Amino acid sequence: MTPSTTAPAVPRPAPPTSLLTGNAADALREKFPPRPVPDLWPTTSAGPQEVLDRLARPPLRPASQSALAARLRGARRLLEWLQEFPGNNWQSRWRASPGPADHQTWYDEVIRWTDARGLRPVREPELKAGMLALICADVIRMHPAWLTVRRSRHFMLSMSAGRDPDGFARLEAAVPPDQWTSRSGGTARVVICAVLATKGGTIQDCTVGDLMEIRSAASKHWNHATRLAYAWLRAAGQFPPDAPASLSRLETFTGQVSIGDLVDRYQLRCRPVRDVIVDYLTERQPSMDYNSLQGLSRVLASNFWADLERHHPGISSLALAPEVADAWKTRLATRTVRRRQPNGTATEASVPRKDAPTLMMSVRAFYLDLAQWALEEPARWGQHAVRCPFPPVSSKKRQKRQKSWSHQRTRERLPHLPALVRAADQHLKDARARLGAVEAAPAGAEFIVLDETYRKARTSNWAADPHRTTTAYLQPDGRRIDLKAAENRAFWAWATIEVLRHTGIRIEEMLELSHHSILQYRLPTTGEVVPLLQITPSKTDEERVLLVTPELADVLSAIVCRIRGAGGVVPLVVSYDAAERVWNPPMPLLFQWQVNGEDHVLSVNTIRKALNEVIEAAQLTDAAGELLDYQPHDFRRMFITDAIMNGLPPHIAQVIAGHDDINTTMHYNAVYPSAAIAAHQAFIARRRSLRPGEEYRVPTSEEWEAFLGHFERRKLSLGTCGRSFGSECVHEHACVRCAMLRVDPHERPRLEEIRVNLIARITEAEREGWLGEVDGLSVSLAAAEDKLHQLDAEVARRSTVVHLGLPSFSQIATRSTQPSQTAWAREGAER
């Protein structure tokens, strides 16, 4: 391992890199430009008295006579002041005045002008009221930045009532009441009013470009409100079909750009090499996702050629001298990190680069691909084919280290998984208790919950009900906590742990689960419903279907019930594909929540933050006493390891996990691979030696009917017999005593009736002296009571996970699938 070296920080030149962040927003602004503000419109050309008369008439006339007088005095003085500036209408005069450039103290100019002319003094509030009246009357249209800095608290009410009351009434009818009256909803209405004040017209005239312009001018102050206003107008059918599904994080998402832009951001000086890198990436593009393509462009353009140009000025050929290639390999082995010290200074340290072999293999593949393609297309690639200056790179040592590290993480975390599950469940219960307490307390009151003292905040996000806030201050330090957000994170941490540990799916696959992923298969003979979970293609581009266990069904039911909106419908949300850098169409995703009134899919960072809160509450430590950290992918490793350790054949685990290669599955299995493979091979060999070869075929129709008939014969009055296929009852049909009996919860009254009858029979046998009968009946009574205890335990388990009143699984499943008889027969033969 290369030792790190530390040196004092020196000023570093800016890297020759052009950032791609915000390209998506730039592309949308070009596609959807804002409406231009014309130089002339009817209301701005009206005379002073005509303007004042219009302000005194409904709908611009305020209800209060004093407010009307203040507006008229302020408006009259502003019009007199604007007449001092050149222009043929009020808008041109306003642009010529110092007002547009002075957002904060523009009224001081008017007051000084009034004093200089010896006119009747006018106060600052009157000037602001007059300006508000002129804006609402569409006499003057402001720049968006002017409105976001200086805004009257009466702005929204005056604009909505005076400019487009019918449009706001239609919008209010289409928006949920909680969103409309919330603080975010009020700010969203202010955003819409600002669009009308800057562009004119009505709500029906608002465009995508108008909202994006307001978003850029307001910066972060109106970010959430602008997104919510956009969502309202888009849901109302205001925008064209190709409009973006959301304005969320446009400035941070890059979107897809051309390969030339990917390479040119590193500002390569040698044009021929730049062109061959672009051509090479273009050739590789069909076989790669966009994220991998962007990573490869970074390796070739930045890590490789841009580094060579910095250290070897004037280099212009891919044919590298041995000393140049060796120097680049030496630089690639380490990287420089900048660390800030406690005293405020910074140091630079050279540390080993863990991905150096991977980068080297990418550059070597670049040279070898050019040489191979030169043989196939010499006219195109022949001039670029040169000797590869880098020898083959062995990745065995790196793979062994990674495998050892992965197995160590699994061995440390798998024994603590039950404790983590219990901690997540308790963390959710505590969060719900705090939320219930803060919702019941009045604003400003102190309350105690779980031996903690809180004081409910007086400010509220809900204008209609000041006591509806869920924000509280933890006493005595006064730390501010949103208990509803904390309960949200606790629920999704619990749901994440449960889904990942029961399915072993990847984190991106979990976030792509939708309401349509819940399937059900109904047996054609018995009508029994088999729940299934469809996993959409992700890393391997192959979808798969997993069997839903009763525990997983409870979790999915809780998720669906939580995210259902008005009318019991799961909201449609848009998600961003980080691999392809595109927005997916709206889908009823399961992992979604509301942020400031807008439905959003949960991000990976949110999931990690919620998991960290549970881990901190659980206080799980390793052998060294260090706090264990669980990453979402750790649950996948633990799922595969636990399944194989409990007897699941590795090739079945490979199918469940969705791996193309069984070696990948065994890489996840944190046991000795040679022992597992040897045991599986011995099992297969022993089975084939005992079973005749005729059994390894597709069963006939008669055999298939016998297979289905076996499950029909397992149906009992109390439930289902759990004996395996091909076996008969070995307990002489003493079902109450049999451990294979799976009692149906709906048959509990029948089981209680049997218990009462047994007690009565035992009493009679004791009275008559039938002692042998007493012993036999006592065994049956003990078995019946044990079955009742099992049902009680199952009910208790369900009540701790799912809210009361949850629907059955068949009610939340959205569609059915009927696999063919051949497919089920093949599966039965494999089993």
Side-chain angles (χ1 to χ4, degrees):
M1 181 176 179
T2 305
S4 63
T5 59
T6 305
V10 296
R12 297 180 299 171
T17 303
S18 300
L19 298 178
L20 298 177
T21 303
N23 276 35
D26 295 338
L28 284 176
R29 292 189 189 99
E30 184 177 351
K31 183 177 182 181
F32 300 100
R35 289 179 292 162
V37 178
D39 295 330
L40 187 64
W41 60 91
T43 53
T44 194
S45 302
Q49 191 58 44
E50 184 180 353
V51 171
L52 296 175
D53 292 342
R54 186 164 180 263
L55 296 181
R57 295 193 304 267
L60 297 174
R61 179 189 178 95
S64 172
Q65 186 65 30
S66 59
L68 173 61
R71 287 188 181 185
L72 292 178
R73 284 195 298 269
R76 182 179 292 106
R77 186 53 47 85
L78 284 172
L79 294 178
E80 294 172 352
W81 176 63
L82 290 176
Q83 286 179 331
E84 297 290 325
F85 299 98
N88 55 0
N89 56 66
W90 301 114
Q91 182 69 17
S92 60
R93 297 186 184 108
W94 169 254
R95 290 174 179 172
S97 72
D102 188 4
H103 301 170
Q104 300 288 346
T105 59
W106 57 271
Y107 47 82
D108 290 338
E109 293 288 337
V110 184
I111 294 175
R112 284 194 291 269
W113 177 85
T114 299
D115 295 340
R117 295 296 189 276
L119 300 176
R120 179 183 177 182
V122 62
R123 295 178 302 159
E124 173 189 334
E126 294 175 338
L127 291 175
K128 291 182 177 180
M131 179 60 74
L132 173 63
L134 294 179
I135 293 174
C136 294
D138 201 18
V139 177
I140 299 175
R141 294 179 183 175
M142 299 297 183
H143 189 272
W146 199 94
L147 291 173
T148 58
V149 175
R150 299 292 298 176
R151 177 172 54 84
S152 168
R153 61 190 180 93
H154 303 291
F155 175 71
M156 179 186 66
L157 297 177
S158 301
M159 282 292 299
S160 58
R163 184 65 66 88
D164 187 16
D166 295 336
F168 279 95
R170 289 192 299 270
L171 189 61
E172 181 179 4
V175 174
D178 282 352
Q179 286 188 15
W180 187 261
T181 58
S182 68
R183 184 175 182 179
S184 298
T187 312
R189 284 182 280 163
V190 171
V191 169
I192 297 175
C193 292
V195 172
L196 303 186
T198 57
K199 301 298 180 181
T202 62
I203 292 180
Q204 195 67 28
D205 300 320
C206 294
T207 66
V208 176
D210 296 342
L211 269 297
M212 295 191 66
E213 184 181 45
I214 288 287
R215 176 184 172 89
S216 300
S219 184
K220 63 180 180 180
H221 302 292
W222 285 358
N223 238 350
H224 296 302
T226 307
R227 293 205 302 261
L228 184 57
Y230 181 88
W232 287 353
L233 297 180
R234 191 179 190 278
Q238 183 93 5
F239 303 136
D242 58 343
S246 173
L247 295 185
S248 175
R249 300 181 66 180
L250 288 177
E251 284 73 17
T252 56
F253 289 155
T254 61
Q256 289 194 2
V257 298
S258 66
I259 295 178
D261 292 336
L262 290 177
V263 175
D264 290 340
R265 58 181 170 155
Y266 301 108
Q267 303 175 19
L268 304 182
R269 291 186 288 272
C270 182
R271 189 70 182 182
V273 174
R274 177 263 178 199
D275 293 340
V276 71
I277 292 177
V278 171
D279 291 343
Y280 175 79
L281 295 174
T282 304
E283 194 74 13
R284 292 286 308 275
Q285 183 178 13
S287 61
M288 306 174 69
D289 60 61
Y290 182 82
N291 203 31
S292 301
L293 183 70
Q294 184 177 9
L296 183 57
S297 70
R298 183 185 303 109
V299 172
L300 298 180
S302 176
N303 298 105
F304 177 56
W305 192 252
D307 180 83
L308 290 176
E309 289 186 338
R310 284 196 300 271
H311 293 85
H312 305 279
I315 188 171
S316 60
S317 174
L318 291 173
L320 304 182
E323 60 274 12
V324 174
D326 292 340
W328 180 77
K329 289 169 55 180
T330 303
R331 293 191 299 272
L332 184 68
T334 61
R335 63 186 181 92
T336 301
V337 296
R338 193 177 181 90
R339 298 190 178 99
R340 184 168 297 278
Q341 303 301 315
N343 58 3
T345 61
T347 60
E348 287 186 349
S350 179
V351 298
R353 188 192 296 269
K354 294 182 179 180
D355 59 345
T358 304
L359 302 181
M360 179 68 70
M361 286 189 291
S362 298
V363 176
R364 175 175 167 79
F366 170 65
Y367 275 91
L368 297 181
D369 285 341
L370 292 180
Q372 178 65 31
W373 296 347
L375 297 176
E376 302 171 358
E377 298 182 67
R380 180 182 179 186
W381 304 104
Q383 57 180 333
H384 307 303
V386 296
R387 180 187 64 85
C388 180
F390 307 109
V393 180
S394 176
S395 61
K396 291 184 179 180
K397 182 180 293 185
R398 180 179 61 87
Q399 291 176 352
K400 288 182 179 180
R401 289 178 179 175
Q402 183 180 4
K403 185 176 182 180
S404 176
W405 171 83
S406 172
H407 287 187
Q408 182 63 23
R409 286 186 63 91
T410 304
R411 293 190 187 100
E412 288 179 347
R413 285 152 182 78
L414 185 56
H416 297 284
L417 182 58
L420 179 65
V421 172
R422 292 192 298 269
D425 183 67
Q426 187 61 42
H427 185 61
L428 176 58
K429 291 179 180 177
D430 294 345
R432 285 176 174 168
R434 296 187 184 97
L435 179 59
V438 74
E439 288 178 341
E446 287 194 357
F447 59 94
I448 300 177
V449 57
L450 301 177
D451 297 329
E452 296 174 336
T453 303
Y454 293 88
R455 181 173 58 84
K456 189 169 182 177
R458 290 186 179 276
T459 58
S460 173
N461 290 344
W462 302 85
D465 185 2
H467 302 287
R468 197 170 179 178
T469 180
T470 57
T471 301
Y473 299 93
L474 179 62
Q475 303 299 322
D477 57 354
R479 181 161 54 95
R480 182 183 176 94
I481 304 175
D482 187 347
L483 296 180
K484 184 174 181 61
E487 192 272 342
N488 251 331
R489 291 193 300 271
F491 175 84
W492 290 115
W494 169 81
T496 298
I497 292 173
E498 292 294 325
V499 171
L500 291 181
R501 79 182 183 97
H502 285 300
T503 61
I505 59 179
R506 304 176 180 92
I507 180 65
E508 60 269 18
E509 294 173 340
M510 184 190 74
L511 295 180
E512 291 176 355
L513 290 177
S514 71
H515 201 198
H516 299 306
S517 301
I518 305 174
L519 313 177
Q520 62 178 3
Y521 170 72
R522 188 178 299 275
L523 294 177
T525 54
T526 63
E528 184 178 354
V529 174
V530 179
L532 303 173
L533 188 66
Q534 184 182 25
I535 308 301
T536 56
S538 59
K539 192 173 182 179
T540 59
D541 289 334
E542 293 181 1
E543 70 176 35
R544 59 191 190 277
V545 178
L546 305 180
L547 184 65
V548 175
T549 62
E551 294 82 2
L552 180 58
D554 291 342
V555 178
L556 295 177
S557 298
I559 293 175
V560 171
C561 291
R562 186 180 185 88
I563 65 177
R564 273 177 172 165
V569 179
V570 176
L572 301 180
V573 295
V574 295
S575 60
Y576 185 75
D577 190 337
E580 292 295 341
R581 305 295 174 92
V582 295
W583 287 96
N584 295 320
M587 294 183 294
L589 299 179
L590 296 183
F591 281 76
Q592 60 169 285
W593 63 352
Q594 275 201 353
V595 179
N596 293 304
E598 187 180 7
D599 296 314
H600 284 271
V601 63
L602 272 75
S603 65
V604 176
N605 291 335
T606 301
I607 294 295
R608 294 182 188 275
K609 181 178 179 180
L611 285 178
N612 291 338
E613 291 181 356
V614 174
I615 294 169
E616 184 178 355
Q619 289 295 310
L620 302 178
T621 57
D622 57 12
E626 299 292 335
L627 192 66
L628 283 175
D629 65 307
Y630 281 79
Q631 299 296 328
H633 211 70
D634 289 330
F635 294 94
R636 181 171 174 82
R637 300 188 185 98
M638 291 187 293
F639 174 83
I640 296 175
T641 300
D642 184 67
I644 295 180
M645 288 177 59
N646 285 279
L648 184 70
H651 69 283
I652 301 299
Q654 173 194 354
V655 175
I656 295 176
H659 289 148
D660 289 336
D661 188 359
I662 194 173
N663 292 321
T664 305
T665 307
M666 300 310 299
H667 179 85
Y668 279 64
N669 181 27
V671 295
Y672 295 102
S674 57
I677 294 177
H680 174 64
Q681 291 176 343
F683 166 77
I684 295 296
R686 184 171 64 255
R687 178 179 178 181
R688 288 177 177 171
S689 64
L690 297 176
R691 296 285 186 180
E694 291 79 6
E695 291 190 2
Y696 293 94
R697 56 175 174 76
V698 177
T700 63
S701 300
E702 292 77 11
E703 292 170 336
W704 179 249
E705 293 296 334
F707 176 75
L708 293 179
H710 163 78
F711 294 99
E712 294 177 352
R713 288 191 297 272
R714 294 197 317 178
K715 300 295 291 184
L716 304 172
S717 61
L718 292 176
T720 305
C721 178
R723 67 179 185 271
S724 60
F725 172 69
S727 62
E728 298 296 335
C729 180
V730 296
H731 299 112
E732 299 180 355
H733 298 284
C735 298
V736 175
R737 301 184 183 184
C738 182
M740 301 299 293
L741 173 63
R742 298 175 182 175
V743 180
D744 189 344
H746 297 290
E747 300 300 333
R748 182 188 179 95
R750 185 187 297 272
L751 185 59
E752 291 178 343
E753 182 181 350
I754 292 176
R755 182 170 67 91
V756 172
N757 179 265
L758 288 172
I759 294 174
R761 292 175 61 187
I762 290 174
T763 303
E764 179 187 6
E766 291 176 343
R767 185 177 63 251
E768 299 295 336
W770 303 333
L771 300 183
E773 191 77 12
V774 170
D775 293 340
L777 292 174
S778 298
V779 174
S780 299
L781 177 62
E785 291 179 342
D786 182 64
K787 295 292 190 299
L788 288 172
H789 290 325
Q790 293 177 8
L791 290 178
D792 293 337
E794 181 178 358
V795 171
R797 175 181 60 80
R798 291 176 178 269
S799 64
T800 59
V801 176
V802 186
H803 292 292
L804 294 177
L806 287 181
S808 63
F809 191 89
S810 60
Q811 291 175 312
I812 68 171
T814 57
R815 53 194 174 102
S816 302
T817 178
Q818 296 288 343
S820 64
Q821 177 175 323
T822 305
W824 281 92
R826 189 181 300 111
E827 183 179 353
E830 291 176 355
R831 291 178 179 175

